[in-house]
């Protein structure tokens, strides 16, 4: 495409942007990505969280005409984007694993007959050869891969199903590929281009990962609960507190509520209804704080998050950047605070060994898994079963964490797919003819539930239709228990088939069972990924525990921006004046002098009185002395020299 036609293409793109989104101009990186896509070359766009990825591919998709296929791992995200496109007058459909056959047929009819512009699919869908054959008959003009880092073996969130995306090359002809992600090291960038089969001349377009409106802070503390409360009491606006365990989401939520701070909890183990309710409560301002595991956040677009606190340290800078970047998407001043405890370094390194159990254990677990499901040698290919992991672990005396780690490595080795989360909503199907439903002796509540199902669930007479019990409660005005009992009554009378939601994971046997002597766990799955995880963990530790250089410069260097200037806003930069006033050696001497004169220890109030504006630097040096096992802290929060006796103070 010559410069004249490229300019004409951008003019047309701006008109589409204005017509459907109401914006007059693209953001700078958006414009570069759109221009590259319109030139027909494969493109990788590295866009910071909140950078407007969807517009970068939706506008060229509309300008190309025909069909744009968007591959994304998130069912909730594809639903939201399809709904948003439809509200803007753009025809779009999606396919994912939780759809019934009836819903899939309806989606195909829309796709083939209504001239849809966008098709959203989960990567697992590309494992179906029949699906790929049907795609060949569609006018595919552009392929988009969202969360593209998931295709890289060296990324922090590798997903084997992403490796099937390259099959679209054989289906879509000359259609260009566009890959988008918010975080990627140079190694991951190269891997994305390789695995997607980018053609010569492809472009990698990136913006700085810097977020100028976010102040990145690391707070050393042995009392994280107190520090969390202090931060939230001294800031305003919506906040996220990230933790690494489901149990801690509940514990911290209860503490926040007891302290008068409205909060709600979110983790992957909650039912769909509870997760949706918790998310909506926070999104609409009903709860100021959401305490969540890393299951929360991707695809969530709340622009006014003022504070993101990491109570527990994440295992990589990629993950930290993604989660911290959910602050300040509206461009206003925001804070990303990492709470650093003296045990966090050891905890992070321990996760490495937990994620990579010995090969012998992995192979043994696979054989016991086959026995658990009654799979004989040479059999089992294509078998899909619900997996009661607790029962399996109880029978075999395994810890669930060890079991899950081994299953993930077996998945990457191609033996099984361990499907941890599945959109397993409740579903119903009417099992009698419509005429048989009239004049039935039903209770008033049950009749209202049945009427609601018939009115709101088209196709319920021919196939299963997914339902949300919470929607039935809202539509009928009945409480959850009444709705549930009504559905059970209708099932008992054989008027409907009601399948309550399941929260169990699934096991899919990707190959027939092999003997343990024939099993192979490849080096690329084990040793190479183990080394990659070690590098990510050490980079995270370096970011959190090195107090001499700008936090942001250190993080950006990890992502390849080695010449980034100091941000001027992180805790290290803000302490710059104090750092020059007191060098580390001088501070250590003053601290040890204070500690040596007080056998009862010194408190933070003592430090503040002594160091004034240099408190943050002094506290870091004190924490360093704790890490070096020179100083300890008692249950009252007072610091003292280890092994110091009363006679030492006299």
């Amino acid at each position: 495409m010559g410069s004249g036609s490229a300019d004409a293409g951008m003019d047309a793109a701006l008109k589409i942007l204005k017509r459907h989104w109401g914006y007059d101009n693209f953001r700078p990186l958006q414009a570069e990505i759109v221009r590259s896509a319109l030139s027909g070359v494969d493109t990788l766009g590295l866009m910071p969280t909140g950078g407007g990825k969807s517009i970068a591919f939706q506008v060229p998709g509309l300008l190309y005409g025909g069909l744009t296929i968007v591959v994304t791992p998130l069912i909730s995200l594809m639903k939201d984007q399809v709904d948003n496109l439809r509200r803007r007058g753009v025809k779009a459909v999606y396919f994912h694993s939780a759809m019934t056959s009836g819903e899939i047929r309806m989606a195909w009819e829309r796709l083939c007959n209504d001239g849809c512009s966008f098709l959203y699919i989960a990567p697992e869908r590309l494992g179906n050869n029949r699906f790929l054959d049907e795609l060949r008959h569609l006018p595919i003009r552009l392929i988009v891969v969202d969360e593209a880092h998931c295709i890289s073996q060296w990324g922090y969130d590798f997903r084997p199903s992403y490796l099937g995306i390259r099959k679209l090359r054989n289906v879509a002809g000359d259609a260009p590929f566009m890959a988008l992600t918010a975080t990627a090291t140079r190694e991951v960038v190269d891997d994305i281009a390789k695995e997607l089969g980018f053609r010569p001349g492809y472009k990698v377009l990136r913006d700085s990962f810097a977020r100028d409106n976010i102040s990145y802070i690391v707070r050393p503390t042995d009392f994280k609960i107190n520090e969390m409360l202090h931060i939230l009491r001294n800031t305003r606006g919506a906040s996220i507190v990230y933790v690494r365990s489901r149990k801690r989401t509940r514990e911290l939520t209860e503490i926040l509520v007891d302290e008068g701070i409205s909060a709600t909890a979110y983790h992957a183990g909650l039912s769909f209804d509870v997760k949706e309710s918790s998310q909506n409560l926070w999104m609409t301002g009903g709860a100021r704080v959401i305490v969540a595991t890393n299951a929360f956040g991707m695809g969530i677009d709340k622009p006014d998050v003022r504070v993101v606190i990491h109570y527990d340290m994440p295992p990589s800078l990629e993950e930290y950047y993604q989660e911290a970047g959910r602050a300040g998407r509206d461009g206003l001043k925001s804070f990303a605070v990492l709470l650093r405890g003296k045990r966090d370094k050891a905890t992070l390194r321990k996760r490495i060994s937990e994620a990579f159990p010995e090969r012998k254990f992995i192979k043994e677990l696979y054989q016991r898994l086959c026995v658990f499901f009654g799979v004989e040698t040479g059999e089992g290919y294509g078998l899909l079963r619900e997996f009661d992991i607790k029962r399996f672990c109880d029978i075999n005396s395994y810890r669930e964490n060890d079991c899950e780690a081994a299953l993930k490595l077996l998945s990457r080795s191609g033996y099984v797919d361990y499907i941890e989360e599945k959109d397993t909503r409740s579903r119903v199907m009417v099992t009698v003819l419509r005429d048989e439903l009239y004049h039935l002796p039903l209770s008033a509540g049950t009749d209202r539930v049945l009427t609601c199902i018939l009115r709101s669930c088209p196709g319920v007479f021919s196939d299963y239709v997914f339902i949300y019990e919470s929607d039935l409660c809202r539509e009928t005005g009945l409480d959850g228990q009444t709705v549930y009992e009504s559905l059970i009554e209708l099932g008992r009378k054989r008027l409907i088939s009601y399948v309550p939601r399941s929260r169990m994971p699934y096991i899919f046997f990707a190959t027939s069972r092999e003997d343990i002597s024939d099993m192979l766990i490849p080096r690329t799955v084990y040793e190479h990924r183990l080394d990659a995880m070690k590098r990510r963990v050490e980079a995270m530790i370096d970011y959190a525990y090195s107090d001499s250089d700008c936090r942001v410069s250190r993080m950006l260097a990890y992502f390849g921006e080695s010449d980034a200037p100091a941000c001027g806003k992180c805790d290290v930069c803000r302490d710059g004046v104090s750092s020059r006033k007191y060098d580390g050696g001088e501070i250590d001497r003053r601290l040890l002098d204070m500690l040596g004169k007080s056998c009862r220890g010194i408190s933070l109030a003592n430090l503040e009185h002594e160091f004034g504006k240099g408190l943050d630097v002094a506290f870091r040096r004190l924490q360093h002395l704790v890490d070096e096992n020179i100083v300890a802290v008692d249950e009252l929060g007072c610091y003292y020299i280890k092994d110091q006796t009363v006679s030492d103070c006299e």
Side-chain angles (χ1 to χ4, degrees), residues 388-462:
D388 188 340
I389 188 170
K390 185 178 186 307
R391 180 167 170 262
F392 176 75
C393 289
D394 287 345
I395 291 172
N396 294 286
S397 300
Y398 290 150
R399 294 190 310 168
E400 284 192 31
N401 287 345
D402 294 338
C403 178
E404 289 182 345
L407 286 170
K408 289 175 182 177
L409 291 168
L410 285 168
S411 294
R412 293 182 178 122
S413 300
Y415 290 100
V416 299
D417 281 338
Y418 176 50
I419 307 167
E420 295 180 81
E421 292 184 52
K422 196 175 177 71
D423 192 352
T424 52
R425 290 175 287 164
S426 302
R427 57 189 189 271
V428 298
M429 179 173 65
V430 176
T431 55
V432 298
L433 298 175
R434 186 181 295 272
D435 292 345
E436 297 179 57
L437 295 175
Y438 296 115
H439 311 298
L440 291 172
L442 300 174
S443 65
T446 302
D447 186 63
R448 285 161 68 182
V449 170
L450 178 59
T451 301
C452 183
I453 290 172
L454 297 177
R455 184 178 66 248
S456 59
C457 302
V460 73
F461 284 92
S462 58

Side-chain angles (χ1 to χ4, degrees), residues 278-291:
S278 182
Q279 178 178 311
N280 289 340
L281 184 67
W282 179 75
M283 291 286 289
T284 57
R288 179 192 165 195
V289 182
I290 189 163
V291 184

Side-chain angles (χ1 to χ4, degrees), residues 16 79 108 201 236 247 260 274 291 305 377 432 438 531 579 607:
I16 289 174
K79 288 178 179 176
W108 269 115
R236 296 181 179 180
K247 179 182 178 183
V274 173
V291 184
V305 178
T377 302
V432 298
Y438 296 115
D531 290 342
S579 297
L607 278 180

Side-chain angles (χ1 to χ4, degrees), residues 252-498:
L252 294 189
T253 298
E254 290 173 2
I255 290 171
L256 289 171
V257 172
D258 288 344
E259 293 292 328
I261 299 172
S262 59
T264 187
Y266 187 106
H267 60 76
L270 298 172
S271 69
F272 181 89
D273 289 344
V274 173
K275 283 192 289 189
E276 184 179 46
S277 174
S278 182
Q279 178 178 311
N280 289 340
L281 184 67
W282 179 75
M283 291 286 289
T284 57
R288 179 192 165 195
V289 182
I290 189 163
V291 184
T293 62
N294 61 354
F296 176 79
M298 196 176 288
I300 303 300
D301 188 15
K302 185 171 174 62
D304 58 343
V305 178
R306 298 276 70 88
V307 181
V308 173
I309 299 173
H310 277 81
Y311 190 94
D312 296 321
M313 198 174 293
S316 70
L317 277 174
E318 290 96 333
E319 210 163 326
Y320 179 67
Y321 177 82
Q322 284 264 20
E323 293 166 358
R326 286 168 189 137
R329 291 192 178 188
D330 55 8
L332 301 181
K333 184 178 180 179
S334 306
F335 297 91
V337 185
L338 175 64
L339 303 183
R340 184 185 81 193
K342 61 183 179 182
R343 298 184 185 90
D344 289 338
K345 191 184 298 186
T347 299
L348 273 188
R349 288 174 174 151
K350 183 180 177 183
R351 287 183 192 156
I352 299 172
S353 58
E354 290 174 343
F356 289 88
E358 293 184 0
R359 274 189 166 86
K360 180 180 178 181
F361 174 81
I362 299 169
K363 293 179 179 181
E364 174 195 270
L365 183 140
Y366 171 74
Q367 298 299 325
R368 294 191 179 188
L369 188 71
C370 292
V371 172
F372 185 75
F373 288 113
V375 176
E376 300 290 341
T377 302
E379 298 179 355
Y381 172 71
L383 185 70
L384 177 68
R385 290 288 186 270
E386 279 190 347
F387 181 43
D388 188 340
I389 188 170
K390 185 178 186 307
R391 180 167 170 262
F392 176 75
C393 289
D394 287 345
I395 291 172
N396 294 286
S397 300
Y398 290 150
R399 294 190 310 168
E400 284 192 31
N401 287 345
D402 294 338
C403 178
E404 289 182 345
L407 286 170
K408 289 175 182 177
L409 291 168
L410 285 168
S411 294
R412 293 182 178 122
S413 300
Y415 290 100
V416 299
D417 281 338
Y418 176 50
I419 307 167
E420 295 180 81
E421 292 184 52
K422 196 175 177 71
D423 192 352
T424 52
R425 290 175 287 164
S426 302
R427 57 189 189 271
V428 298
M429 179 173 65
V430 176
T431 55
V432 298
L433 298 175
R434 186 181 295 272
D435 292 345
E436 297 179 57
L437 295 175
Y438 296 115
H439 311 298
L440 291 172
L442 300 174
S443 65
T446 302
D447 186 63
R448 285 161 68 182
V449 170
L450 178 59
T451 301
C452 183
I453 290 172
L454 297 177
R455 184 178 66 248
S456 59
C457 302
V460 73
F461 284 92
S462 58
D463 205 343
Y464 280 103
V465 173
F466 287 108
I467 61 168
Y468 297 121
E469 285 86 345
S470 58
D471 287 349
L472 294 178
C473 292
R474 186 172 58 251
E475 295 293 331
T476 62
L478 302 171
D479 61 76
Q481 186 63 29
T482 302
V483 166
Y484 177 74
E485 290 174 355
S486 297
L487 290 167
I488 294 296
E489 180 186 346
L490 290 168
R492 194 181 303 119
K493 292 179 180 293
R494 301 186 182 280
L495 301 176
I496 67 170
S497 173
Y498 169 53

Side-chain angles (χ1 to χ4, degrees), residues 156 183 185 314-324 338 535-544 551 554-559:
Y156 74 97
T183 53
T185 61
S316 70
L317 277 174
E318 290 96 333
E319 210 163 326
Y320 179 67
Y321 177 82
Q322 284 264 20
E323 293 166 358
L338 175 64
R535 290 197 299 272
R536 289 196 297 272
V537 165
E538 291 305 319
M540 188 71 233
I541 289 173
D542 180 64
Y543 170 85
R551 302 280 180 205
R554 189 174 290 274
M555 181 162 56
L556 295 182
Y558 177 78
F559 290 118

Side-chain angles (χ1 to χ4, degrees), residues 52-319:
K53 285 191 294 182
S54 58
I55 285 178
F57 66 80
Q58 287 171 350
V59 169
L62 288 173
L63 196 54
Y64 263 121
L67 181 68
T68 293
I69 295 179
V70 184
V71 183
T72 177
L74 299 168
I75 293 175
S76 59
L77 182 62
M78 67 171 72
K79 288 178 179 176
D80 288 344
Q81 292 209 4
V82 166
D83 288 343
N84 286 332
L85 285 168
R86 288 173 178 172
R87 282 195 293 269
R88 300 179 191 279
V90 178
K91 294 179 179 179
V93 296
Y94 54 71
F95 290 109
H96 57 74
S97 58
M99 295 171 68
T100 66
S101 56
E103 289 173 320
I104 291 172
R105 284 196 301 271
M106 291 174 63
W108 269 115
E109 289 176 7
R110 292 195 202 102
L111 187 62
C112 297
N113 301 325
D114 293 350
C116 286
S117 298
F118 292 91
L119 167 61
Y120 284 74
I121 58 174
E124 292 80 8
R125 196 82 191 162
L126 299 173
N128 186 321
N129 290 328
R130 181 181 175 186
F131 178 78
L132 291 171
D133 288 339
E134 290 171 331
L135 288 181
R136 296 178 190 277
H137 304 292
L138 299 173
I140 301 170
R141 300 288 183 268
L142 179 66
I143 305 293
V144 178
V145 183
D146 197 13
E147 306 298 338
H149 61 273
C150 294
I151 201 171
S152 174
Q153 291 267 1
W154 318 121
Y156 74 97
D157 194 22
F158 171 66
R159 305 191 184 197
S161 58
Y162 259 65
L163 296 175
I165 297 175
R166 191 168 180 172
K167 296 177 184 177
L168 288 172
R169 284 283 183 200
N170 301 323
V171 172
D174 293 330
F177 270 50
M178 180 191 293
L180 298 166
T181 183
T183 53
T185 61
R186 289 176 179 172
E187 187 178 42
V188 172
V189 166
D190 292 341
D191 210 28
I192 290 171
K194 174 187 173 184
E195 294 297 342
L196 289 177
F198 272 15
R199 294 172 294 203
Y202 70 86
K203 292 184 178 180
V204 178
L205 301 172
R206 68 176 76 219
D207 202 353
S208 172
F209 284 99
R211 296 280 302 281
D212 292 338
N213 63 311
I214 299 180
S215 296
Y216 290 87
I217 310 293
V218 175
R219 280 280 179 262
T221 177
D222 292 319
F223 304 95
K224 291 190 176 184
I225 290 174
N226 293 343
E227 188 65 31
M228 175 188 69
L229 292 171
H230 172 76
I231 293 167
L232 292 173
R233 284 171 180 152
N234 287 275
T235 55
R236 296 181 179 180
S239 304
I240 305 172
V241 176
Y242 276 110
V243 297
R244 301 299 299 181
S245 75
R246 297 175 180 183
K247 179 182 178 183
R248 191 162 282 166
T249 63
R250 299 190 297 271
E251 294 172 344
L252 294 189
T253 298
E254 290 173 2
I255 290 171
L256 289 171
V257 172
D258 288 344
E259 293 292 328
I261 299 172
S262 59
T264 187
Y266 187 106
H267 60 76
L270 298 172
S271 69
F272 181 89
D273 289 344
V274 173
K275 283 192 289 189
E276 184 179 46
S277 174
S278 182
Q279 178 178 311
N280 289 340
L281 184 67
W282 179 75
M283 291 286 289
T284 57
R288 179 192 165 195
V289 182
I290 189 163
V291 184
T293 62
N294 61 354
F296 176 79
M298 196 176 288
I300 303 300
D301 188 15
K302 185 171 174 62
D304 58 343
V305 178
R306 298 276 70 88
V307 181
V308 173
I309 299 173
H310 277 81
Y311 190 94
D312 296 321
M313 198 174 293
S316 70
L317 277 174
E318 290 96 333
E319 210 163 326

